[in-house]
Amino acid sequence: MTPMAKSQNGFPASANRAEIDVRVFPVNGTAVKLPVRADVAPRLVEMAHWFHVHVEPLRAGECHGYAFRPIEGSTVLSNHASGTAIDLNAPSHPMGKHGTVPAAKRAAISAKARELGLRWGGDFTGRVDEMHFEVLANGHQPATRPTIKRGARGDAVREAQGILNRKQSAGLAVDGIFGPLTDKAVREFQRRGGLEVDGIVGPKTWGRLLA
């Protein structure tokens, strides 16, 4: 039997929504209905309702849930593919644009997401996605991050660059290109952490970056 595909957060993903128990759930007080995985629906729907009340009214046709597709610019399946992510008022909060929600509300959005065991795309260390909320791996094994080194490109490189900027003020462009400056920053991170200094972000270096 072929193993079921998994989304980025490790939940089973399928083009057949019934296979992963994706159902449609209404958001109270709105005309919005979200197709999401049933066992995580209470958290995602509560987040959507809270956003509607405390940030801005939700608009039908602009809020989305399940969609079997990869992450934009990647071959890794999006968490939408497992029904464990939602996008709220998507046209008002385009991917990659920072500051689409009021600065005074950012901390509250982030705190509410964490309270519900979710991650808000406005907190992403690489490409921000302020419309987006996703379920953290919860009893599911997260998808393994790929080993990356000089010459690599993609989302894993962006993630590593963002973490290096945060942890050691590396000053890298978060562009998804593993060039000489990223290589230098990785080697410095490895040196400081007592790791083998080879410029390769494998399991041990990822483990320290994500700790």
Side-chain angles (χ1 to χ4, degrees), residues 18-32:
E19 193 172 33
I20 53 174
D21 200 18
V22 169
R23 309 178 201 174
V24 177
F25 296 86
V27 179
N28 288 341
T30 78
V32 171

Side-chain angles (χ1 to χ4, degrees), residues 30-195:
T30 78
V32 171
K33 296 181 179 180
L34 295 170
V36 293
R37 182 183 168 101
D39 61 353
V40 299
R43 288 186 277 163
L44 291 170
V45 172
E46 182 177 342
M47 186 73 240
H49 181 260
W50 183 93
F51 191 92
H52 171 74
V53 172
H54 297 282
V55 182
E56 63 190 30
L58 296 182
R59 298 183 292 273
E62 297 183 5
C63 300
H64 313 290
Y66 169 82
F68 190 73
R69 59 173 175 78
I71 297 168
E72 186 176 328
S74 171
T75 58
V76 176
L77 282 174
S78 164
N79 294 328
H80 288 282
S82 60
T84 59
I86 56 174
D87 292 337
L88 303 179
N89 292 348
S92 298
H93 309 289
M95 180 186 291
K97 187 172 182 180
H98 188 276
T100 66
V101 297
K105 296 183 178 182
R106 296 184 66 85
I109 296 170
S110 184
K112 183 63 178 180
R114 289 195 303 271
E115 174 191 322
L116 293 171
L118 307 177
R119 183 166 69 148
W120 176 43
D123 288 332
F124 287 178
T125 55
R127 179 176 57 185
V128 297
D129 194 4
E130 295 182 352
M131 67 175 125
H132 183 85
F133 296 87
E134 62 188 26
V135 177
L136 296 171
N138 184 14
H140 295 265
Q141 183 62 38
T144 303
R145 286 169 172 79
T147 295
I148 54 175
K149 60 183 179 180
R150 189 165 178 171
R153 293 171 177 254
D155 290 336
V157 178
R158 290 188 188 91
E159 182 176 17
Q161 289 169 328
I163 296 170
L164 288 165
N165 284 344
R166 177 164 52 85
K167 289 200 167 187
Q168 64 182 36
S169 302
L172 298 171
V174 183
D175 56 8
I177 301 171
F178 201 128
L181 294 179
T182 300
D183 179 81
K184 181 180 178 181
V186 168
R187 290 174 185 273
E188 176 61 17
F189 180 82
Q190 291 171 327
R191 185 188 65 76
R192 293 183 184 184
L195 299 167

